[in-house]
């Protein structure tokens, strides 16, 4: 008979984020058929009583179990890859998967430095015999196309110099574009040329000033006013308040009901964190990580976010 | 092929000294300047500037700017710069004009290789503390803006691979747009600004095979709205850059009063690239050698420099 403790261990090992490989190994290697049978009977979340009298794996449980095992593999592969290749592959994958995954394209285009983004475009040439913008332009339909192609093509100035006057007038232009469209439901702010050129060509320091100026002339921040246009909202967030964006990725992934994509987003972020400063954020989530993450994946997260990393 | 005539042995120190001698004292020895700089390639010109700075603690370019004037000075200034830096300057001048010279932006973004265009973008940032695309965007409007920003932001695939299916379908789209004058701007901008040059050549060839006439012929004329006026040079530059340059030269000389800016720009930017081929095209088209036409239309040191860059023997 299976020990109730073992059943609990099995349940725990397979819940949360990542997989507790050690516990699993110790259970499996010590179990015989009858033993395993009673364990299966004890884990009703993972095994269903089939009408033909056997304990059947719950299909969705298999899928999510495989996804949890894969998290560690993904973080290893991504971390070892050259950042250019990694970003090029992430871009291609997001493009293939379609609209719900376009936020990955926004994330990469907006959180990398100008030269890193350029590198990703070069790697894209090597890997796929096409340019990134060419693929995006021919596969993305609708209003998202203009935004995404322009974001990926940017080579932003990275100096600190900002023209206050221009930032002020551009904040105003953005406010007009957003407010007007709240009235006219047919056109999205993402379709406004003013919005596109400001967000996709201006430097990040400049856009941060635009963000501040916007707060002065509107009751809310740009991101608050863009609640309904997710892709555009994320664009502004990644460009102007990246720390907010990263915090949200961590928070969403470490929730009880976190979905696969949320966990993948965390993996992606952690694997790319040499380009982006995550230490401050990670410290806030250290306890949650220790509580909800398992096994080798947890070790990677904690190790990679430790202060004494070289 | 290039037209400039560079000697086998070059001593940049001797060159720097010769230029110093030409600038010292009263007046300037323009002939000496032309005979040195007019026979040096980009790498050598850069080394001469460094050598000059080393020897005399002075920026050669600034010195020349103060010594020379007029069209000659403009030409020398453009000639002596690094190609990427030069393109950045040309782009900035074009953008900042009261009525921006869109065709210059088109010319630079469409006739340079993808890597060269990247170098221009970097040089532009270093010089002007803005990105090229942001300055273009801030000084243009509407669909013209969309086209130009897309062209300068492009980092085209530079391989030989082409997709014939894509060439077919995009030739169709281009034809509908051009022939029926119904400009689906989004699609035409997408095709022209993202496809690789080889892919575009395949598309243009397909267009010609399907419709018996080239796309540029279908775009003939000088009228139309601003978008059309920017679209024409875009397609011409992508379809056949040498033919495009021949036309710019022909127009710059033919005008009552030469268009020195255009003349200088084409000769200076192509002298180390394909000016020889452009010269041949010019002769075929006009039955007059380009050297002769330039000599007839320009004077003094400016003329002497242009002819040197065109490969004329001293």
């Amino acid at each position: 008979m299976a020990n109730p403790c073992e059943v609990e261990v099995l349940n725990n090992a397979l819940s949360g984020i990542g997989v507790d490989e050690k516990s699993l190994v110790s259970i499996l290697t010590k179990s015989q058929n009858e033993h395993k049978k009673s364990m299966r009977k004890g884990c009703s979340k993972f095994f269903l009583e089939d009408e033909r009298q056997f304990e059947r794996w719950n299909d969705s449980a298999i899928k999510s179990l495989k996804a949890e095992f894969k998290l560690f593999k993904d973080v290893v592969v991504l971390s070892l890859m050259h950042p250019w290749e990694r970003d090029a592959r992430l871009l291609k994958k997001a493009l293939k998967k379609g609209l719900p995954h376009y936020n990955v394209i926004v994330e990469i285009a907006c959180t990398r430095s100008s030269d890193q983004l350029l590198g990703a475009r070069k790697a894209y040439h090597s890997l796929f015999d096409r340019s990134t913008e060419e693929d995006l332009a021919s596969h993305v339909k609708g209003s998202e196309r203009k935004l995404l192609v322009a974001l990926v093509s940017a080579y932003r100035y990275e100096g600190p110099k900002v023209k206050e006057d221009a930032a002020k007038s551009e904040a105003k232009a953005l406010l007009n574009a957003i407010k007007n469209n709240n009235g006219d439901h047919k056109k999205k702010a993402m379709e406004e040329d003013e919005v596109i050129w400001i967000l996709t060509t201006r430097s990040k320091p400049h856009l941060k000033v635009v963000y501040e100026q916007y707060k002065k002339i509107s009751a809310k921040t740009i991101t608050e006013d863009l609640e309904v246009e997710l892709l555009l909202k994320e664009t502004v967030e990644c460009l102007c308040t990246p720390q907010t964006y990263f915090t949200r990725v961590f928070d969403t992934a470490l929730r009880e009901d976190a979905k696969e994509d949320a966990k993948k987003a965390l993996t992606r972020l952690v694997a790319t964190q040499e380009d982006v400063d995550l230490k401050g954020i990670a410290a806030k989530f250290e306890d949650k990580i220790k509580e909800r993450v398992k096994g080798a994946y947890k070790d990677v997260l904690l190790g990679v976010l430790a202060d004494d990393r070289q | 092929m290039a037209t400039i005539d560079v000697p086998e042995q070059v001593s940049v120190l001797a060159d720097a000294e010769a230029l110093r001698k030409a600038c010292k004292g009263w007046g300037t020895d323009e002939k000496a300047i032309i005979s040195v700089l007019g026979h040096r390639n980009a790498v050598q010109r850069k080394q001469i500037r460094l050598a000059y700075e080393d020897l005399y603690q002075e920026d050669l370019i600034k010195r020349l700017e103060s010594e020379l004037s007029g069209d000659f000075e403009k030409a020398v200034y453009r000639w002596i710069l690094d190609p990427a830096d030069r393109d950045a300057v040309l782009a900035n001048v074009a953008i900042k004009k009261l009525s921006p010279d869109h065709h210059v932006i088109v010319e630079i973004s469409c006739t340079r290789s993808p890597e060269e265009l990247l170098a221009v973008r970097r040089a532009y940032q270093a010089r002007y503390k803005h990105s090229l695309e942001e300055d273009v965007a801030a000084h243009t409007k509407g669909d013209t803006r969309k086209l130009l920003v897309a062209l300068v932001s492009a980092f085209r695939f530079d391989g030989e691979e082409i997709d014939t299916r894509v060439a077919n379908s995009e030739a169709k789209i281009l034809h509908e747009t051009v022939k029926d004058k119904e400009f689906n701007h989004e699609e035409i901008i997408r095709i022209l600004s993202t496809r690789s040059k080889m892919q575009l050549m395949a598309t243009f060839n397909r267009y010609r095979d399907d419709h018996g006439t080239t796309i540029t012929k279908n775009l003939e004329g000088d009228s139309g709205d601003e978008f059309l006026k920017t679209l024409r040079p875009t397609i011409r530059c992508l379809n056949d850059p040498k033919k495009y340059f021949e036309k710019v030269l022909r127009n710059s000389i033919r005008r009552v009063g030469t268009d020195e800016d255009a003349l200088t720009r084409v000769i200076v930017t192509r002298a180390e690239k394909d000016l020889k081929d452009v010269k041949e095209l010019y002769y075929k088209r006009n039955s007059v050698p380009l050297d002769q036409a330039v000599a007839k239309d320009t004077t003094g040191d400016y003329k002497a420099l242009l002819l040197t860059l065109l490969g004329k023997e001293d």
Side-chain angles (χ1 to χ4, degrees):
Chain A
M1 272 295 288
N3 195 322
C5 284
E6 281 173 336
V7 171
E8 200 185 326
V9 166
L10 187 60
N11 267 313
N12 280 339
L14 303 173
S15 315
I17 305 180
V19 173
D20 184 354
E21 293 95 347
K22 266 206 182 120
S23 305
L24 284 176
V25 167
S26 78
I27 290 175
L28 299 175
T29 52
K30 286 187 280 180
S31 302
Q32 246 99 358
N33 271 332
E34 275 308 311
H35 201 114
K36 280 195 194 153
K37 190 188 179 76
S38 66
M39 272 207 293
R40 283 192 293 269
K41 282 200 190 287
C43 294
S44 55
K45 197 163 96 179
F46 298 97
F47 295 94
L48 309 166
E49 193 60 45
D50 188 273
E51 58 179 356
R52 294 184 178 80
Q53 266 112 41
F54 69 99
E55 310 83 36
R56 212 183 98 190
W57 261 116
N58 177 341
D59 281 336
S60 68
I62 298 185
K63 193 167 170 284
S64 59
L65 182 62
K66 285 184 175 170
E68 298 300 339
F69 270 115
K70 202 166 164 281
L71 285 176
F72 176 61
K73 168 203 150 215
D74 281 348
V75 84
V76 167
V77 169
L78 279 181
S79 297
L80 289 176
M81 232 184 237
H82 190 291
W84 294 0
E85 178 177 355
R86 179 199 67 210
D87 286 347
R89 288 190 187 277
L90 285 171
L91 285 168
K92 180 73 158 183
K93 203 163 176 198
L95 179 60
K96 265 182 156 174
K97 283 178 138 181
L99 181 53
H101 297 265
Y102 287 170
N103 63 306
V104 176
I105 300 176
V106 167
E107 183 184 301
I108 293 174
C110 297
T111 61
R112 306 303 187 246
S113 75
S114 294
D115 280 325
Q116 284 285 22
L117 182 56
L118 200 56
R121 291 167 82 182
K122 289 185 184 174
Y124 200 99
H125 286 195
S126 298
L127 293 168
F128 307 114
D129 287 342
R130 286 267 175 96
S131 68
T132 320
E133 58 267 31
E134 176 176 12
D135 264 357
L136 278 179
S138 56
H139 289 98
V140 177
K141 308 292 174 208
S143 38
E144 288 79 14
R145 178 210 271 182
K146 273 192 284 190
L147 177 65
L148 293 179
V149 172
L151 282 178
V152 133
S153 307
Y155 186 59
R156 299 176 201 259
Y157 172 60
E158 291 186 317
K161 183 165 168 273
V162 173
K163 274 207 200 113
E164 287 279 337
D165 299 332
K168 273 196 190 131
S169 71
E170 284 160 25
K172 219 178 265 157
L174 286 177
L175 181 59
N176 281 339
I178 294 171
K179 290 300 183 196
N180 284 339
N181 292 319
N182 281 338
D184 169 13
H185 292 289
K186 283 186 223 139
K187 205 171 186 206
K188 303 189 217 167
M190 187 163 46
E191 291 167 0
E192 290 281 349
D193 288 337
E194 284 294 305
V195 173
I196 300 275
W197 87 255
I198 293 170
L199 292 181
T200 63
T201 68
R202 287 303 191 196
S203 73
K204 290 176 190 176
H206 182 104
L207 287 173
K208 290 192 171 115
V209 174
V210 170
Y211 187 85
E212 293 304 315
Q213 289 294 333
Y214 188 100
K215 268 200 281 195
K216 290 187 186 161
I217 53 177
S218 164
K220 303 189 177 162
T221 65
I222 308 183
T223 38
E224 283 165 349
D225 275 343
L226 281 173
E227 269 313 315
V228 288
E229 290 195 52
L230 280 180
L231 219 52
L232 203 55
K233 176 180 167 191
E234 260 182 39
T235 301
V236 173
E237 222 175 32
C238 286
L239 291 169
C240 303
T241 58
Q243 299 289 309
T244 312
Y245 175 80
F246 302 139
T247 305
R248 218 197 23 235
V249 171
F250 268 83
D251 191 66
T252 317
L254 292 167
R255 287 217 186 114
E256 281 280 333
D257 54 350
K259 300 259 162 58
E260 209 178 300
D261 283 339
K263 297 175 193 175
K264 280 190 182 164
L266 180 61
T267 303
R268 193 174 60 239
L269 205 59
V270 159
T272 64
Q273 55 83 54
E274 72 261 19
D275 304 325
V276 138
D277 182 19
L278 293 178
K279 291 228 192 80
I281 300 171
K284 293 188 217 158
F285 288 96
E286 199 174 334
D287 288 336
K288 264 240 173 95
I289 293 174
K290 288 189 176 144
E291 177 199 313
R292 289 201 42 78
V293 188
K294 309 251 177 327
Y297 189 63
K298 171 165 103 180
D299 294 335
V300 168
L301 282 195
L302 290 178
V304 133
L305 301 168
D307 268 347
D308 56 3
R309 199 179 62 87
Q310 270 159 333
Chain B
M1 268 204 68
T3 46
I4 59 163
D5 187 15
V6 175
E8 292 230 359
Q9 297 273 45
V10 162
S11 156
V12 297
L13 278 178
D15 287 342
E17 281 168 17
L19 288 170
R20 175 71 161 186
K21 199 157 152 230
C23 294
K24 244 174 116 181
W26 286 108
T28 319
D29 185 356
E30 287 91 354
K31 298 226 168 349
I33 294 176
I34 296 173
S35 81
V36 170
L37 293 176
H39 295 281
R40 302 290 182 268
N41 62 36
V43 171
Q44 293 160 337
R45 296 195 304 271
K46 187 176 188 146
Q47 290 171 339
I48 293 172
R49 273 155 50 204
L50 291 172
Y52 189 94
E53 175 102 36
D54 248 1
L55 288 171
Y56 309 112
Q57 279 78 55
E58 189 183 59
D59 183 346
L60 174 59
I61 296 182
K62 286 206 162 56
R63 186 49 182 244
L64 290 171
E65 275 184 289
S66 68
E67 295 276 334
L68 312 173
S69 63
D71 294 320
F72 180 54
E73 185 269 319
K74 266 199 203 157
V76 169
Y77 178 72
R78 280 153 179 63
W79 174 244
I80 200 171
L81 290 176
D82 281 333
D85 206 15
R86 172 200 301 151
D87 279 349
V89 168
L90 289 171
N92 187 261
V93 166
I95 292 169
K96 292 291 165 71
K97 277 198 174 152
L98 218 50
S99 175
D101 277 339
H102 297 159
H103 59 281
V104 174
I105 312 286
V106 166
E107 191 178 297
I108 293 173
S109 54
C110 295
T111 62
R112 308 325 185 222
S113 76
E115 285 291 343
E116 284 169 350
L117 183 55
L118 280 183
V120 174
R121 290 169 86 177
R122 280 197 202 98
Y124 194 96
Q125 283 193 10
R127 221 175 230 273
Y128 302 109
K129 312 298 178 217
H130 277 165
S131 66
L132 174 57
E133 58 265 33
E134 97 186 87
D135 275 359
V136 168
H139 289 86
T140 50
K141 292 198 299 281
D143 283 347
T144 309
R145 174 204 280 165
K146 281 193 267 196
L147 175 60
L148 290 176
V149 171
L151 289 176
V152 301
S153 309
F155 182 46
R156 301 174 200 264
F157 176 59
D158 59 357
E160 307 277 314
E161 291 82 350
I162 54 173
D163 184 329
T164 43
R165 246 181 341 113
V166 166
N168 189 14
S169 67
E170 291 182 356
K172 234 185 226 119
I173 295 172
L174 287 177
H175 182 79
E176 281 159 23
T177 299
V178 162
K179 200 73 211 289
D180 307 334
K181 303 276 187 267
E182 255 175 48
F183 291 103
N184 181 348
H185 294 177
E186 301 288 344
E187 279 294 88
I188 210 173
I189 292 173
R190 171 184 73 79
I191 294 169
L192 295 179
S193 68
T194 66
R195 292 300 185 196
S196 74
K197 295 205 176 153
M198 291 307 303
Q199 179 67 42
L200 285 171
M201 286 310 306
T203 304
F204 292 144
N205 286 340
R206 188 61 202 241
Y207 184 107
R208 187 198 57 221
D209 292 343
D210 282 350
H211 305 287
T213 168
T214 62
I215 185 169
T216 41
K217 261 227 144 45
N218 276 155
L219 278 174
E220 221 133 69
D222 282 317
S223 62
D225 59 21
E226 217 192 318
F227 181 71
L228 191 54
K229 286 198 186 136
T230 310
L231 186 64
R232 280 195 198 99
T234 303
I235 293 186
R236 290 201 177 107
C237 281
L238 291 167
N239 187 29
D240 193 338
K242 292 176 196 171
K243 207 162 153 210
Y244 166 84
F245 286 124
E246 185 277 325
K247 185 165 194 217
V248 174
L249 286 172
R250 184 178 4 121
N251 283 341
S252 75
I253 297 173
R254 183 165 64 188
R255 293 240 162 87
V256 175
T258 318
D259 181 354
E260 284 87 6
D261 273 350
L263 187 61
T264 303
R265 187 181 75 242
V266 175
I267 292 181
V268 160
T269 59
R270 309 316 290 177
E272 291 176 90
K273 294 262 163 184
D274 51 13
L275 195 52
K276 196 156 194 194
D277 301 330
V278 176
K279 267 170 73 171
E280 281 165 21
L281 277 175
Y282 188 93
Y283 184 61
K284 269 199 202 128
R285 181 77 162 65
N286 304 290
S287 304
V288 160
L290 180 57
D291 301 20
Q292 207 176 300
V294 167
K296 201 163 154 235
D297 246 48
T298 55
T299 56
D301 301 312
Y302 177 55
K303 167 166 122 179
L305 175 62
L306 291 185
L307 292 178
T308 305
L309 295 182
L310 281 167
K312 202 157 169 80
E313 278 143 33
D314 287 331

